[in-house]
Amino acid sequence: GAGVSQSPSNKVTEKGKDVELRCDPISGHTALYWYRQSLGQGLEFLIYFQGNSAPDKSGLPSDRFSAERTGGSVSTLTIQRTQQEDSAVYLCASSLDLSTDTQYFGPGTRLTVL
Amino acid sequence: GENVEQHPSTLSVQEGDSAVIKCTYSDSASNYFPWYKQELGKGPQLIIDIRSNVGEKKDQRIAVTLNKTAKHFSLHITETQPEDSAVYFCAAKRTGRRALTFGSGTRLQVQP
């Protein structure tokens, strides 16, 4: 079946611009996660959604980062006034529900801020 | 919070040899330990996972062992093949915590 999909696969933007990254989780998965992977680094948790509940934003690095999830499915991660240090691969993952540990990742969006 | 350390950072083996990657974790309450394989330009792919009530798990050429007392777990790949070349990440999580905590990754290169 279809896995987690993300778009765009690559995004190049200028410093100070806003960007939107999209994630479409596996059908039927109610939990959705965003992680950030900086060059040569491990994955850093950003934000978590479970169904229509309020998200866990504890990993967001600054108030320039926000995310929403419409209808309990597709999620958008927005970065306002991008900075060069925001350059990274942004990965989305989903899991079946709150009690399921296994997370399945999408291919990621590579963001480059010039 | 949880801290996961992974080593080595790079590993080169000859085709057919075994490869071992080790991780240690800090939170004794962690009870779920997945391993992911990430190929260039792709997202991490789950290859095997283990829970704290099990000491070892195997799936064909890969196996994971867990030592809860020492708080470390290892990935073992036998009969390595060139297509095993990738970056491997370990992770840890405890019940009730949403996010996985990842190690920094091991770049495995299998020389033909």
Short mmCIF file of all heavy atoms in Angstrom, two decimals, chain A residues 50-97:
data_model
loop_
_atom_site.label_atom_id
_atom_site.label_comp_id
_atom_site.label_asym_id
_atom_site.label_seq_id
_atom_site.Cartn_x
_atom_site.Cartn_y
_atom_site.Cartn_z
N GLN A 50 -2.01 13.70 17.31
CA GLN A 50 -2.78 12.47 17.49
C GLN A 50 -4.24 12.81 17.17
O GLN A 50 -4.91 13.49 17.95
CB GLN A 50 -2.66 11.94 18.92
CG GLN A 50 -3.62 10.82 19.26
CD GLN A 50 -3.47 9.62 18.35
OE1 GLN A 50 -2.37 9.20 18.02
NE2 GLN A 50 -4.59 9.05 17.94
N GLY A 51 -4.72 12.33 16.04
CA GLY A 51 -6.10 12.59 15.63
C GLY A 51 -6.37 14.08 15.59
O GLY A 51 -5.63 14.85 15.00
N ASN A 52 -7.45 14.48 16.24
CA ASN A 52 -7.82 15.89 16.27
C ASN A 52 -7.42 16.57 17.57
O ASN A 52 -7.84 17.71 17.84
CB ASN A 52 -9.33 16.03 16.07
CG ASN A 52 -9.74 15.59 14.68
OD1 ASN A 52 -9.07 15.90 13.70
ND2 ASN A 52 -10.83 14.84 14.58
N SER A 53 -6.62 15.88 18.40
CA SER A 53 -6.19 16.45 19.67
C SER A 53 -5.18 17.56 19.46
O SER A 53 -4.55 17.65 18.39
CB SER A 53 -5.59 15.37 20.56
OG SER A 53 -6.50 14.32 20.78
N ALA A 54 -5.01 18.39 20.50
CA ALA A 54 -4.01 19.45 20.43
C ALA A 54 -2.63 18.83 20.24
O ALA A 54 -2.29 17.84 20.88
CB ALA A 54 -4.05 20.29 21.70
N PRO A 55 -1.80 19.40 19.38
CA PRO A 55 -0.50 18.81 19.10
C PRO A 55 0.49 19.00 20.24
O PRO A 55 0.36 19.90 21.06
CB PRO A 55 -0.03 19.57 17.86
CG PRO A 55 -0.73 20.88 17.93
CD PRO A 55 -2.07 20.59 18.54
N ASP A 56 1.49 18.13 20.28
CA ASP A 56 2.61 18.27 21.20
C ASP A 56 3.68 19.05 20.47
O ASP A 56 4.36 18.51 19.60
CB ASP A 56 3.11 16.88 21.60
CG ASP A 56 4.37 16.93 22.46
OD1 ASP A 56 4.92 18.03 22.68
OD2 ASP A 56 4.82 15.85 22.89
N LYS A 57 3.86 20.32 20.82
CA LYS A 57 4.78 21.21 20.13
C LYS A 57 6.12 21.33 20.84
O LYS A 57 6.90 22.25 20.53
CB LYS A 57 4.17 22.61 20.02
CG LYS A 57 2.80 22.66 19.38
CD LYS A 57 2.30 24.10 19.33
CE LYS A 57 0.91 24.20 18.76
NZ LYS A 57 0.42 25.60 18.74
N SER A 58 6.40 20.44 21.75
CA SER A 58 7.54 20.62 22.64
C SER A 58 8.88 20.64 21.92
O SER A 58 9.86 21.16 22.46
CB SER A 58 7.54 19.51 23.69
OG SER A 58 7.63 18.23 23.08
N GLY A 59 8.95 20.12 20.70
CA GLY A 59 10.22 20.07 19.99
C GLY A 59 10.46 21.22 19.03
O GLY A 59 11.55 21.33 18.46
N LEU A 60 9.48 22.07 18.83
CA LEU A 60 9.65 23.17 17.87
C LEU A 60 10.77 24.11 18.35
O LEU A 60 10.74 24.58 19.48
CB LEU A 60 8.35 23.94 17.69
CG LEU A 60 7.21 23.16 17.03
CD1 LEU A 60 5.96 24.02 16.93
CD2 LEU A 60 7.63 22.67 15.65
N PRO A 61 11.75 24.41 17.47
CA PRO A 61 12.93 25.18 17.91
C PRO A 61 12.68 26.66 18.12
O PRO A 61 13.44 27.29 18.85
CB PRO A 61 13.93 24.94 16.77
CG PRO A 61 13.09 24.63 15.58
CD PRO A 61 11.89 23.93 16.09
N SER A 62 11.67 27.21 17.49
CA SER A 62 11.37 28.63 17.69
C SER A 62 9.93 28.90 17.29
O SER A 62 9.27 28.03 16.72
CB SER A 62 12.33 29.50 16.85
OG SER A 62 11.91 29.54 15.51
N ASP A 63 9.46 30.11 17.59
CA ASP A 63 8.06 30.44 17.24
C ASP A 63 7.90 30.72 15.75
O ASP A 63 6.79 31.03 15.30
CB ASP A 63 7.56 31.62 18.09
CG ASP A 63 8.41 32.87 17.93
OD1 ASP A 63 9.30 32.87 17.05
OD2 ASP A 63 8.20 33.82 18.68
N ARG A 64 8.98 30.62 14.99
CA ARG A 64 8.84 30.75 13.53
C ARG A 64 8.29 29.45 12.93
O ARG A 64 7.87 29.44 11.78
CB ARG A 64 10.20 31.05 12.90
CG ARG A 64 10.79 32.40 13.32
CD ARG A 64 12.08 32.70 12.55
NE ARG A 64 13.16 31.76 12.84
CZ ARG A 64 13.53 30.79 12.02
NH1 ARG A 64 12.93 30.62 10.84
NH2 ARG A 64 14.53 29.99 12.37
N PHE A 65 8.33 28.38 13.71
CA PHE A 65 7.86 27.08 13.24
C PHE A 65 6.43 26.84 13.74
O PHE A 65 6.14 27.05 14.92
CB PHE A 65 8.74 25.96 13.76
CG PHE A 65 10.10 25.87 13.13
CD1 PHE A 65 11.07 26.83 13.39
CD2 PHE A 65 10.41 24.83 12.26
CE1 PHE A 65 12.33 26.76 12.80
CE2 PHE A 65 11.66 24.75 11.67
CZ PHE A 65 12.61 25.70 11.94
N SER A 66 5.57 26.38 12.86
CA SER A 66 4.22 26.00 13.26
C SER A 66 3.76 24.86 12.37
O SER A 66 4.33 24.62 11.30
CB SER A 66 3.25 27.19 13.16
OG SER A 66 3.15 27.62 11.81
N ALA A 67 2.75 24.16 12.82
CA ALA A 67 2.22 23.06 12.02
C ALA A 67 0.74 22.92 12.30
O ALA A 67 0.26 23.26 13.38
CB ALA A 67 2.95 21.76 12.33
N GLU A 68 0.05 22.43 11.31
CA GLU A 68 -1.36 22.13 11.48
C GLU A 68 -1.68 20.82 10.78
O GLU A 68 -0.95 20.36 9.91
CB GLU A 68 -2.23 23.26 10.94
CG GLU A 68 -2.11 23.51 9.45
CD GLU A 68 -3.06 24.60 8.96
OE1 GLU A 68 -3.57 25.37 9.80
OE2 GLU A 68 -3.28 24.68 7.75
N ARG A 69 -2.80 20.27 11.19
CA ARG A 69 -3.26 19.02 10.60
C ARG A 69 -4.75 19.14 10.36
O ARG A 69 -5.52 19.27 11.32
CB ARG A 69 -2.96 17.83 11.52
CG ARG A 69 -3.22 16.51 10.85
CD ARG A 69 -2.85 15.37 11.75
NE ARG A 69 -2.99 14.10 11.03
CZ ARG A 69 -2.96 12.91 11.62
NH1 ARG A 69 -2.78 12.83 12.93
NH2 ARG A 69 -3.10 11.83 10.92
N THR A 70 -5.13 19.13 9.13
CA THR A 70 -6.52 19.34 8.77
C THR A 70 -7.24 18.01 8.61
O THR A 70 -6.74 17.09 7.95
CB THR A 70 -6.62 20.14 7.46
OG1 THR A 70 -5.85 19.47 6.45
CG2 THR A 70 -6.06 21.54 7.66
N GLY A 71 -8.42 17.92 9.25
CA GLY A 71 -9.25 16.73 9.11
C GLY A 71 -8.60 15.47 9.63
O GLY A 71 -9.00 14.36 9.24
N GLY A 72 -7.60 15.60 10.49
CA GLY A 72 -6.96 14.43 11.05
C GLY A 72 -6.11 13.66 10.06
O GLY A 72 -5.72 12.52 10.34
N SER A 73 -5.78 14.27 8.91
CA SER A 73 -4.99 13.55 7.91
C SER A 73 -3.75 14.36 7.51
O SER A 73 -2.76 14.36 8.21
CB SER A 73 -5.85 13.21 6.70
OG SER A 73 -5.11 12.49 5.75
N VAL A 74 -3.85 15.11 6.43
CA VAL A 74 -2.71 15.84 5.88
C VAL A 74 -2.23 16.90 6.87
O VAL A 74 -3.01 17.55 7.56
CB VAL A 74 -3.11 16.51 4.56
CG1 VAL A 74 -2.00 17.42 4.06
CG2 VAL A 74 -3.44 15.45 3.51
N SER A 75 -0.89 17.03 6.93
CA SER A 75 -0.28 18.03 7.81
C SER A 75 0.61 18.97 7.01
O SER A 75 1.22 18.56 6.02
CB SER A 75 0.54 17.36 8.90
OG SER A 75 1.20 18.32 9.72
N THR A 76 0.67 20.21 7.45
CA THR A 76 1.55 21.21 6.85
C THR A 76 2.44 21.79 7.94
O THR A 76 1.95 22.22 8.98
CB THR A 76 0.73 22.34 6.20
OG1 THR A 76 -0.14 21.80 5.22
CG2 THR A 76 1.66 23.35 5.56
N LEU A 77 3.74 21.78 7.67
CA LEU A 77 4.72 22.42 8.55
C LEU A 77 5.11 23.74 7.89
O LEU A 77 5.52 23.75 6.73
CB LEU A 77 5.95 21.54 8.73
CG LEU A 77 7.10 22.10 9.57
CD1 LEU A 77 6.69 22.21 11.03
CD2 LEU A 77 8.35 21.22 9.44
N THR A 78 4.95 24.83 8.62
CA THR A 78 5.26 26.15 8.10
C THR A 78 6.44 26.74 8.85
O THR A 78 6.47 26.71 10.09
CB THR A 78 4.05 27.10 8.22
OG1 THR A 78 2.94 26.54 7.49
CG2 THR A 78 4.37 28.48 7.66
N ILE A 79 7.39 27.26 8.10
CA ILE A 79 8.52 27.96 8.69
C ILE A 79 8.47 29.40 8.18
O ILE A 79 8.53 29.63 6.96
CB ILE A 79 9.87 27.32 8.32
CG1 ILE A 79 9.85 25.82 8.61
CG2 ILE A 79 11.00 27.99 9.10
CD1 ILE A 79 11.09 25.08 8.12
N GLN A 80 8.33 30.32 9.09
CA GLN A 80 8.26 31.73 8.71
C GLN A 80 9.65 32.36 8.79
O GLN A 80 10.48 31.96 9.62
CB GLN A 80 7.29 32.47 9.64
CG GLN A 80 5.86 31.99 9.54
CD GLN A 80 4.93 32.73 10.50
OE1 GLN A 80 5.22 32.80 11.69
NE2 GLN A 80 3.86 33.28 9.98
N ARG A 81 9.87 33.35 7.94
CA ARG A 81 11.12 34.13 7.98
C ARG A 81 12.32 33.18 8.08
O ARG A 81 13.12 33.25 9.02
CB ARG A 81 11.10 35.10 9.15
CG ARG A 81 9.89 36.03 9.18
CD ARG A 81 9.92 36.99 10.36
NE ARG A 81 9.98 36.32 11.65
CZ ARG A 81 8.95 35.76 12.26
NH1 ARG A 81 7.75 35.78 11.69
NH2 ARG A 81 9.10 35.20 13.45
N THR A 82 12.45 32.31 7.10
CA THR A 82 13.47 31.26 7.15
C THR A 82 14.87 31.84 7.35
O THR A 82 15.20 32.93 6.86
CB THR A 82 13.45 30.41 5.87
OG1 THR A 82 13.52 31.27 4.72
CG2 THR A 82 12.20 29.55 5.80
N GLN A 83 15.67 31.07 8.07
CA GLN A 83 17.07 31.39 8.33
C GLN A 83 17.93 30.29 7.75
O GLN A 83 17.46 29.17 7.52
CB GLN A 83 17.32 31.50 9.84
CG GLN A 83 16.43 32.51 10.55
CD GLN A 83 16.71 33.93 10.10
OE1 GLN A 83 17.87 34.34 10.04
NE2 GLN A 83 15.66 34.66 9.76
N GLN A 84 19.22 30.56 7.53
CA GLN A 84 20.11 29.56 6.94
C GLN A 84 20.20 28.32 7.82
O GLN A 84 20.34 27.21 7.29
CB GLN A 84 21.48 30.17 6.68
CG GLN A 84 21.47 31.17 5.53
CD GLN A 84 22.85 31.69 5.18
OE1 GLN A 84 23.71 31.80 6.05
NE2 GLN A 84 23.04 32.04 3.92
N GLU A 85 20.10 28.50 9.14
CA GLU A 85 20.19 27.34 10.03
C GLU A 85 18.96 26.43 9.95
O GLU A 85 18.96 25.34 10.53
CB GLU A 85 20.41 27.78 11.48
CG GLU A 85 19.32 28.66 12.05
CD GLU A 85 19.69 30.14 11.97
OE1 GLU A 85 20.45 30.52 11.05
OE2 GLU A 85 19.21 30.89 12.83
N ASP A 86 17.93 26.88 9.22
CA ASP A 86 16.75 26.04 9.02
C ASP A 86 17.00 25.01 7.92
O ASP A 86 16.19 24.08 7.73
CB ASP A 86 15.53 26.88 8.64
CG ASP A 86 15.14 27.88 9.72
OD1 ASP A 86 15.44 27.62 10.90
OD2 ASP A 86 14.54 28.92 9.37
N SER A 87 18.09 25.16 7.18
CA SER A 87 18.40 24.21 6.11
C SER A 87 18.58 22.81 6.70
O SER A 87 19.39 22.61 7.61
CB SER A 87 19.67 24.62 5.37
OG SER A 87 19.49 25.86 4.71
N ALA A 88 17.82 21.86 6.19
CA ALA A 88 17.83 20.50 6.72
C ALA A 88 16.87 19.66 5.88
O ALA A 88 16.20 20.18 4.98
CB ALA A 88 17.37 20.48 8.18
N VAL A 89 16.80 18.38 6.21
CA VAL A 89 15.76 17.52 5.65
C VAL A 89 14.66 17.40 6.70
O VAL A 89 14.93 17.06 7.85
CB VAL A 89 16.31 16.13 5.29
CG1 VAL A 89 15.17 15.22 4.80
CG2 VAL A 89 17.38 16.24 4.21
N TYR A 90 13.45 17.69 6.29
CA TYR A 90 12.30 17.62 7.19
C TYR A 90 11.54 16.33 6.88
O TYR A 90 11.07 16.11 5.77
CB TYR A 90 11.42 18.85 7.05
CG TYR A 90 12.11 20.07 7.62
CD1 TYR A 90 13.05 20.77 6.86
CD2 TYR A 90 11.88 20.47 8.93
CE1 TYR A 90 13.73 21.86 7.40
CE2 TYR A 90 12.55 21.55 9.48
CZ TYR A 90 13.49 22.24 8.71
OH TYR A 90 14.16 23.30 9.25
N LEU A 91 11.46 15.47 7.89
CA LEU A 91 10.87 14.14 7.73
C LEU A 91 9.55 14.06 8.48
O LEU A 91 9.42 14.55 9.60
CB LEU A 91 11.83 13.08 8.26
CG LEU A 91 13.09 12.86 7.43
CD1 LEU A 91 14.18 12.24 8.27
CD2 LEU A 91 12.80 11.98 6.23
N CYS A 92 8.62 13.42 7.85
CA CYS A 92 7.31 13.17 8.45
C CYS A 92 7.17 11.67 8.68
O CYS A 92 7.67 10.87 7.87
CB CYS A 92 6.22 13.67 7.51
SG CYS A 92 4.55 13.34 8.05
N ALA A 93 6.54 11.29 9.76
CA ALA A 93 6.29 9.88 10.05
C ALA A 93 4.85 9.73 10.54
O ALA A 93 4.26 10.69 11.05
CB ALA A 93 7.26 9.35 11.09
N SER A 94 4.32 8.53 10.40
CA SER A 94 2.99 8.27 10.96
C SER A 94 3.00 6.91 11.65
O SER A 94 3.83 6.04 11.36
CB SER A 94 1.90 8.34 9.89
OG SER A 94 1.97 7.26 8.99
N SER A 95 2.09 6.77 12.59
CA SER A 95 1.88 5.47 13.24
C SER A 95 0.39 5.24 13.37
O SER A 95 -0.41 6.17 13.31
CB SER A 95 2.58 5.41 14.60
OG SER A 95 2.03 6.34 15.50
N LEU A 96 0.02 3.99 13.60
CA LEU A 96 -1.39 3.61 13.56
C LEU A 96 -2.21 4.41 14.56
O LEU A 96 -3.27 4.95 14.22
CB LEU A 96 -1.52 2.11 13.82
CG LEU A 96 -2.92 1.51 13.70
CD1 LEU A 96 -3.44 1.72 12.28
CD2 LEU A 96 -2.89 0.03 14.03
N ASP A 97 -1.73 4.46 15.78
CA ASP A 97 -2.45 5.21 16.81
C ASP A 97 -1.53 5.50 17.98
O ASP A 97 -0.34 5.20 17.92
CB ASP A 97 -3.70 4.44 17.28
CG ASP A 97 -3.38 3.03 17.74
OD1 ASP A 97 -2.30 2.84 18.35
OD2 ASP A 97 -4.18 2.12 17.48
#
